[in-house]
Amino acid sequence: MSCNHNCDTCGEKCDTPQTEQPHELSRIKRVIAVVSGKGGVGKSSVTAMLAAAMNKKGYKCAVLDADITGASIPKMFGLSGGIASDAAGMYPAETPSGIKVISSNLMLENESDPVVWRGPMIAGLVKQFWTDVIWGDIDYMFIDCPPGTGDVPLTVFQSIKVDGIVVVATPQELVSMIVEKAVNMANMMKIPVIGIIENMSWVVCPDCGKIIKVFGTSKALGEAACKFGLPVLAEIPYTAEIVAAADGGKMDTEIFEYTEAAADIIESGLSVR
């Protein structure tokens, strides 16, 4: 109960969690976890937009949907149906632009069927997505983590060699506190935080074009980013175009300028060879 997940300062003789190796036919160069301290901030749409932006740069990209009970990545990319497998392992689905995706929703008979599982089963499936899926050659893999700092994010951080974390937030003050929780967890696990992306930063009036900050002046960027010295990777507005692309399964074909700067920072900070 007193574990702080930092084995360097611990005198207990317990079993240290070991990172798992990906499938022998997978060659994954960089892994980026997209996290949030709470739900409803648009983390999955940001994950999809980042993968699409890096894919546009010519990199081979993948998305591992670790939000097992709230999976939405397949719908955003227009994917449905089962997962192919053989004696060697499972194969991810692939979007029209070549982004590889694995998700619990691709394993369901109906995409609206609930996944009513307890924590150990959910964590086990996340590990399987890493160890049993034949990803092939991947330059950048983005892991869409469920919100919070519980079982699944902990499983991801302990089982997978994560190169960096992107924290997603919205402007209101409450979220600023939640951002700090996510950043503190990353620091505890000794995983670098690449930066913060603020989603739903503003809306544009369809009549006059005026920018309206529905949640007021940003607290997540003004307080949390400064406190931890983190770069702001992107400020993404709430637009009808983004919503339509997500609902229509076109997140890999409709590229938005809001994540291009974030992709540049990821590329320069986490270069692949």
Side-chain angles (χ1 to χ4, degrees):
M1 291 295 293
S2 61
C3 180
N4 66 2
H5 308 291
N6 185 353
C7 297
D8 292 342
T9 61
C10 182
E12 297 294 330
K13 302 297 182 181
C14 57
D15 293 331
T16 303
Q18 300 294 321
T19 55
E20 303 280 351
Q21 294 299 312
H23 192 282
E24 61 182 2
L25 297 178
S26 299
R27 290 164 295 279
I28 303 166
K29 296 178 181 177
R30 295 294 185 187
V31 178
I32 300 166
V34 182
V35 305
S36 65
K38 67 181 294 294
V41 299
K43 171 183 49 56
S44 295
S45 60
V46 169
T47 301
M49 292 171 72
L50 286 173
M54 293 303 289
N55 183 64
K56 183 184 178 184
K57 284 178 168 287
Y59 292 107
K60 297 175 181 176
C61 295
V63 177
L64 189 160
D65 189 354
D67 195 351
I68 304 301
T69 60
S72 58
I73 289 291
K75 182 174 178 59
M76 291 184 179
F77 285 118
L79 298 172
S80 60
I83 296 174
S85 63
D86 56 24
M90 297 185 289
Y91 296 87
E94 194 166 326
T95 71
S97 67
I99 300 173
K100 295 183 178 181
V101 175
I102 200 74
S103 172
S104 62
N105 254 28
L106 295 173
M107 306 172 70
L108 302 175
E109 185 174 349
N110 300 299
E111 65 176 15
S112 58
D113 289 343
V115 178
V116 187
W117 291 357
R118 294 191 183 274
M121 291 183 66
I122 294 172
L125 184 59
V126 171
K127 287 184 181 180
Q128 280 189 286
F129 283 169
W130 175 252
T131 60
D132 295 2
V133 172
I134 301 172
W135 292 99
D137 291 317
I138 298 296
D139 293 318
Y140 292 95
M141 171 181 282
F142 294 88
I143 300 181
D144 182 17
C145 290
T149 56
D151 277 351
V152 173
L154 186 58
T155 295
V156 169
F157 297 159
Q158 290 183 332
S159 302
I160 299 173
K161 187 180 180 303
V162 177
D163 295 291
I165 291 171
V166 171
V167 179
V168 181
T170 50
Q172 62 263 56
E173 186 172 358
L174 171 63
V175 175
S176 177
M177 176 189 68
I178 303 299
V179 166
E180 290 194 32
K181 290 179 181 290
V183 172
N184 285 332
M185 181 181 186
N187 292 337
M188 187 182 297
M189 304 301 296
K190 294 186 175 181
I191 300 174
V193 180
I194 300 170
I196 298 176
I197 290 181
E198 185 179 84
N199 195 27
M200 295 180 273
S201 295
W202 70 85
V203 297
V204 177
C205 176
D207 296 323
C208 68
K210 180 181 178 181
I211 291 178
I212 304 170
K213 295 190 175 182
V214 179
F215 297 114
T217 303
S218 173
K219 299 296 192 300
L221 302 186
E223 295 176 5
C226 292
K227 180 176 181 178
F228 293 98
L230 297 174
V232 177
L233 303 179
E235 295 177 69
I236 303 174
Y238 190 80
T239 71
E241 290 77 16
I242 294 176
V243 173
D247 289 346
K250 297 181 179 180
M251 290 298 276
D252 70 328
T253 58
E254 309 223 3
I255 305 299
F256 306 98
E257 67 270 24
Y258 308 110
T259 52
E260 289 180 346
D264 290 340
I265 295 173
I266 290 171
E267 181 181 38
S268 61
L270 295 176
S271 60
V272 297
R273 294 184 294 274

